[in-house]
Amino acid sequence: QKEVEQNSGPLSVPEGAIASLNCTYSDRGSQSFFWYRQYSGKSPELIMFIYSNGDKEDGRFTAQLNKASQYVSLLIRDSQPSDSATYLCAVNGRNFNKFYFGSGTKLNVKP
Amino acid sequence: DVKVTQSSRYLVKRTGEKVFLECVQDMDHENMFWYRQDPGLGLRLIYFSYDVKMKEKGDIPEGYSVSREKKERFSLILESASTNQTSMYLCASNLQGAQFNTGELFFGEGSRLTVL
């Protein structure tokens, strides 16, 4: 079983819609959870992190964490074509300095 | 701005060659990481280092070794390159974490290695 699972997509949404990206993880001892965005041919960049159950909002982005269900999600409101990228979920495990990545979900926002 | 620099963006090597991938960071980060990224498999951790001369195996260390002689520099070594090591290699760094590490890994631009 992989540490972090994501649907590979592609997920296609029209411009202005809400994009919902999901991630599950296997280690109940995981402490912190991250969403990275990776444009084609570029390196990943952090867009949000969360470590408490519930929601965390930052502009058009909301991260949601449910530790009981071992589930973390990212909502992107008012999606823009510039949001088209691959979104990587990452988790750090019991060793706080090690990060495990999902395979990423490719998001296409259509104008 | 944090800068992580990988020495080579594109490399083409032959099977059996020794390959060095170098990474330098300029923010005095304790932790440095080497990942490889393959389609459908995401980023997989090869090795990471939490201090000079200290290293820990990741999930796929076989066929790789690393060297960290100075805090700012972390090298990945393929002793005898094989075709299944054709991949994108990403170096990253961050500050050593407390329990709730903010988790911002700073990545280099990547090194695309092709082994023929």
Side-chain angles (χ1 to χ4, degrees):
Chain A
Q1 183 186 6
K2 291 180 68 174
E3 293 273 351
V4 181
E5 301 264 12
Q6 294 180 256
N7 287 326
S8 60
L11 173 67
S12 291
V13 300
E15 184 174 354
I18 295 175
S20 177
L21 304 162
N22 304 314
C23 171
T24 58
Y25 60 95
S26 61
D27 186 354
R28 284 194 174 275
S30 297
Q31 301 283 346
S32 304
F33 309 87
F34 314 93
W35 285 100
Y36 282 79
R37 177 177 60 202
Q38 186 175 25
Y39 292 114
S40 181
K42 300 293 187 182
S43 298
E45 55 180 346
L46 181 71
I47 51 174
M48 290 205 69
F49 72 94
I50 186 168
Y51 50 75
S52 298
N53 273 328
D55 295 0
K56 180 181 179 182
E57 189 173 314
D58 183 2
R60 296 186 296 111
F61 298 93
T62 299
Q64 299 175 317
L65 175 61
N66 183 327
K67 288 188 177 181
S69 300
Q70 295 175 245
Y71 177 92
V72 59
S73 64
L74 180 70
L75 300 177
I76 306 174
R77 289 181 300 279
D78 188 22
S79 296
Q80 301 297 308
S82 59
D83 295 326
S84 297
T86 296
Y87 289 80
L88 302 168
C89 175
V91 172
N92 80 341
R94 296 171 194 271
N95 180 334
F96 307 125
N97 293 305
K98 288 181 76 170
F99 299 85
Y100 297 94
F101 285 81
S103 56
T105 298
K106 186 175 176 66
L107 173 66
N108 291 327
V109 181
K110 297 182 178 180
Chain B
D1 278 353
V2 174
K3 193 162 179 64
V4 179
T5 304
Q6 295 183 229
S7 56
S8 304
R9 290 295 306 277
Y10 301 95
L11 303 95
V12 179
K13 297 292 182 181
R14 296 203 175 276
T15 300
E17 281 192 85
K18 191 168 186 175
V19 182
F20 291 89
L21 299 179
E22 302 229 304
C23 175
V24 177
Q25 51 93 5
D26 66 359
M27 282 301 290
D28 204 35
H29 285 167
E30 292 90 354
N31 294 339
M32 296 189 76
F33 306 81
W34 275 106
Y35 288 91
R36 65 177 282 180
Q37 186 171 29
D38 301 288
L41 297 177
L43 276 76
R44 293 180 291 166
L45 181 64
I46 305 171
Y47 269 97
F48 85 99
S49 169
Y50 49 92
D51 201 349
V52 175
K53 297 191 187 293
M54 306 304 287
K55 62 186 178 186
E56 192 167 316
K57 292 180 180 178
D59 299 316
I60 51 164
E62 297 79 17
Y64 303 96
S65 62
V66 290
S67 172
R68 193 160 179 206
E69 296 296 320
K70 293 185 178 182
K71 190 175 185 179
E72 67 270 19
R73 188 179 298 269
F74 192 36
S75 301
L76 180 69
I77 303 151
L78 288 67
E79 293 289 342
S80 178
S82 63
T83 55
N84 62 12
Q85 292 178 308
T86 292
S87 187
M88 171 67 83
Y89 290 87
L90 288 166
C91 175
S93 73
N94 78 346
L95 289 170
Q96 203 151 71
Q99 182 175 9
F100 296 116
N101 193 314
T102 61
E104 185 162 15
L105 287 170
F106 295 89
F107 286 89
E109 290 291 304
S111 297
R112 183 164 293 281
L113 172 66
T114 301
V115 183
L116 302 176

